[in-house]
Amino acid sequence: MYTIDFSKPVKIFFVGIGGISMSGLAVILKRAGFDVSGSDRDRSDVTSFLESEGIKVFYGQKKENITEDIDVIVLTAAIHKDNPEYVRMEELGIPHLSRAELVGQLMRNYETSIAISGTHGKTTTTSMISEILLACTDADPTISVGGMLPSIGGNIRVGGKKYFVTEACEYTNSFLNFFPDIALILNVEEDHMDFFKDLDDIRNSFKKFAQLVPKDGTVIISSHIEDTGFFTDALDCKVLTFGLTDKDGKSGKAPDYTAANTVIDAAGNASFDVVLKGEKVSHVSLKVPGEHNILNALAAFAFADAVGVDREVASGALGRFGGTDRRFQKKGIIGDGVILIDDYAHHPTEIKATMKAALSMEHRNLWVVFQPHTYSRTKAFFDDFADALSLADKVVLADIYAARETDDGSVSSEMLSEAIKKKNTDSYYFDSFEKIENFLMQNCQKGDVLITMGAGDVYKIGDSLLER
């Protein structure tokens, strides 16, 4: 593997530079003195930001973008070997790194690297941890987060060498290229079944991730994960647990960090005492709704304790956190009183968590416009999607967002809509965003809550409705 010498900046090219993670890495290297350029399919707000940083962006992935003077190329996971830039790279013999390999090499340049993993909640918990470190006068963290965090004005913050904070995705085992000093495991569930064989395969991957933490490091893991000892018993580092359960299902041990005296307000936001081994150590009042965010906050609080952050500073930072873009983001009011929320949820568990958060709000009808993400995920969790979505009063389905896949005709949004109807929930399918927008304008009423939901471009529906 090519190894970057960060004391000797070279010319580096990112294939797929407009991605949320790739763009952040490009900025870190640019500000470190590297000659950075890259390519992407289309212009976007992200590529415009990159250009404002002095990074050359090529639109359209073409072989002529790859020149002999490039020292190393970074590839996003979506790039295949028939990509013209990949082909040209091979012809010229230019060394390359995956995005995950680059992140792993970056981690070694910081005193403490923090990697947040889990099937769900990575972006929110990474953002919470970032807010805690930003509240510390001497932390100056470098941050790479998978969403737009208002307090840093984007998805990247280039700080000092003390802390590096990043998400750690399990897809294609990319997080096994990391070198975390502190690793968080929020949850372990079935997902990315186009890569993993089964849940046992996924659990083994997360176990290997935990084993990456050195002896003087810390693993922070949810007690809601079945048999946490499977991941932690053989570790020689410090282990902290968090959860809302009384005890782990197998070991019988209570989590180290839990919540007590929880109160939910009219907006669905929780206030609770943070309890460590039976003793109240702080109080947190969140500005983001849902039980899942109590868990995320407990994980972040455990992290704060692990690195010695003052507990009042940590609870204050958690209380100021207002969320990230596309994570239960309240975007405005449509018409004469329809509350619009946008959320990135694209897995049944995430959908249920978002639904429960929305249902805790004062509302008339809960509408959900859902855009399934990838055919393989929709097919693998078809019944679970129908169950989760049926929690809404009204469901509107857009076509499946293909991402990296092609349609083999075995699953569709129309099929999913019919399955939801069988659960006595009103469900509608439309083959265009325009038709969905027109239907919503005619049928949503004052007091309704409308959520646009999915990992694709479904958010455009809400943006369009706000402009009407």
Side-chain angles (χ1 to χ4, degrees):
M1 181 196 303
Y2 181 92
T3 301
I4 294 176
D5 183 346
F6 290 92
S7 67
K8 298 177 181 178
V10 295
K11 187 168 185 177
I12 188 165
F13 187 96
F14 286 76
V15 180
I17 198 169
I20 196 73
S21 178
M22 292 280 277
S23 61
L25 297 172
V27 172
I28 290 174
L29 293 180
K30 176 66 176 178
R31 295 186 186 177
F34 285 73
D35 182 349
V36 180
S37 59
S39 65
D40 215 275
R41 290 180 296 179
D42 302 298
R43 292 182 182 275
S44 66
D45 290 343
V46 172
T47 59
S48 295
F49 169 70
L50 292 172
E51 290 173 330
S52 74
E53 288 282 323
I55 295 172
K56 172 66 176 176
V57 180
F58 297 88
Y59 295 99
Q61 290 168 345
K62 306 169 186 175
K63 64 181 297 183
E64 53 264 33
N65 296 340
I66 307 301
T67 55
E68 295 183 19
D69 59 340
I70 295 171
D71 294 292
V72 61
I73 291 175
V74 181
L75 301 169
T76 182
I79 300 302
H80 300 292
K81 292 184 178 181
D82 60 353
N83 181 284
E85 292 180 345
Y86 189 100
V87 172
R88 183 60 173 162
M89 175 192 75
E90 293 279 273
E91 290 174 354
L92 295 175
I94 300 173
H96 63 275
L97 295 170
S98 69
R99 180 200 62 82
E101 288 169 341
L102 174 58
V103 174
Q105 292 192 23
L106 269 172
M107 282 183 159
R108 289 181 152 173
N109 279 302
Y110 293 85
E111 292 179 28
T112 304
S113 289
I114 305 104
I116 297 90
S117 75
T119 315
H120 329 290
K122 292 186 290 294
T123 295
T124 297
T125 308
T126 301
S127 298
M128 287 178 169
I129 286 172
S130 298
E131 294 288 1
I132 290 171
L133 291 176
L134 289 168
C136 301
T137 56
D138 61 343
D140 191 22
T142 294
I143 299 164
S144 177
V145 62
M148 296 299 175
L149 181 60
S151 58
I152 63 174
N155 66 310
I156 188 72
R157 180 185 190 272
V158 180
K161 293 291 186 180
K162 188 172 183 179
Y163 293 107
F164 178 71
V165 185
T166 188
E167 296 181 29
C169 181
E170 74 276 15
Y171 184 55
T172 68
N173 282 329
S174 63
F175 63 178
L176 299 186
N177 293 287
F178 289 6
F179 297 92
D181 299 294
I182 300 176
L184 283 79
I185 304 177
L186 305 176
N187 35 66
V188 180
E189 296 184 28
E190 286 184 310
D191 198 8
H192 304 300
M193 303 312 291
D194 57 328
F195 175 76
F196 292 109
K197 292 182 294 185
D198 50 30
L199 181 57
D200 286 341
D201 192 20
I202 296 170
R203 286 171 61 86
N204 280 315
S205 184
F206 276 92
K207 181 176 183 177
K208 291 176 183 176
F209 172 68
Q211 292 170 341
L212 298 174
V213 177
K215 187 175 182 178
D216 59 350
T218 303
V219 168
I220 300 169
I221 186 168
S222 170
S223 64
H224 292 246
I225 299 171
E226 183 180 353
D227 186 14
T228 55
F230 171 80
F231 305 91
T232 62
D233 282 351
L235 300 180
D236 56 4
C237 65
K238 185 176 183 179
V239 175
L240 298 174
T241 59
F242 66 93
L244 302 178
T245 55
D246 291 334
K247 58 185 179 180
D248 176 84
K250 186 168 184 177
S251 70
K253 295 179 181 177
D256 297 315
Y257 293 83
T258 191
N261 303 316
T262 302
V263 177
I264 308 295
D265 66 18
N269 302 329
S271 296
F272 57 92
D273 294 333
V274 179
V275 176
L276 171 60
K277 297 184 183 300
E279 178 186 355
K280 176 185 173 181
V281 294
S282 191
H283 184 81
V284 173
S285 295
L286 295 176
K287 291 182 179 178
V288 286
E291 183 180 272
H292 60 294
N293 277 320
I294 301 176
L295 285 166
N296 294 337
L298 287 172
F301 196 93
F303 158 80
D305 267 4
V307 297
V309 174
D310 180 271
R311 285 171 174 165
E312 291 308 304
V313 170
S315 60
L318 289 170
R320 290 188 297 274
F321 174 65
T324 55
D325 285 1
R326 303 225 59 215
R327 272 67 179 180
F328 212 86
Q329 181 186 7
K330 296 177 183 177
K331 301 191 73 171
I333 302 295
I334 300 168
D336 64 350
V338 178
I339 299 171
L340 174 65
I341 294 170
D342 183 55
D343 196 89
Y344 192 71
H346 56 285
H347 182 282
T349 300
E350 296 168 344
I351 292 169
K352 284 183 178 179
T354 299
M355 294 287 198
K356 289 178 180 178
L359 290 168
S360 69
M361 299 170 57
E362 294 181 356
H363 67 282
R364 182 178 172 276
N365 280 317
L366 174 59
W367 288 79
V368 172
V369 180
F370 182 61
Q371 179 188 44
H373 189 264
T374 71
Y375 299 103
S376 60
R377 182 183 283 114
T378 307
K379 188 173 182 178
F381 303 110
F382 187 88
D383 292 338
D384 295 324
F385 277 121
D387 287 340
L389 290 165
S390 67
L391 293 173
D393 298 303
K394 314 280 185 180
V395 179
V396 180
L397 274 295
D399 281 322
I400 295 170
Y401 190 85
R404 55 190 173 267
E405 298 180 348
T406 55
D407 183 6
D408 65 3
S410 62
V411 70
S412 70
S413 290
E414 195 167 10
M415 294 176 189
L416 182 56
S417 181
E418 291 302 315
I420 294 167
K421 288 178 184 177
K422 292 178 181 178
K423 297 183 179 295
N424 298 316
T425 297
D426 293 339
S427 183
Y428 312 87
Y429 161 73
F430 298 98
D431 60 7
S432 74
F433 282 5
E434 182 179 5
K435 291 178 182 178
I436 291 174
E437 292 164 20
N438 291 335
F439 176 78
L440 294 171
M441 289 300 293
Q442 293 168 8
N443 291 278
C444 289
Q445 299 179 34
K446 183 177 181 179
D448 288 351
V449 171
L450 169 63
I451 305 177
T452 53
M453 184 186 293
D457 58 356
V458 67
Y459 64 90
K460 293 179 179 178
I461 291 173
D463 290 347
S464 179
L465 290 173
L466 287 172
E467 292 173 0
R468 290 198 179 196

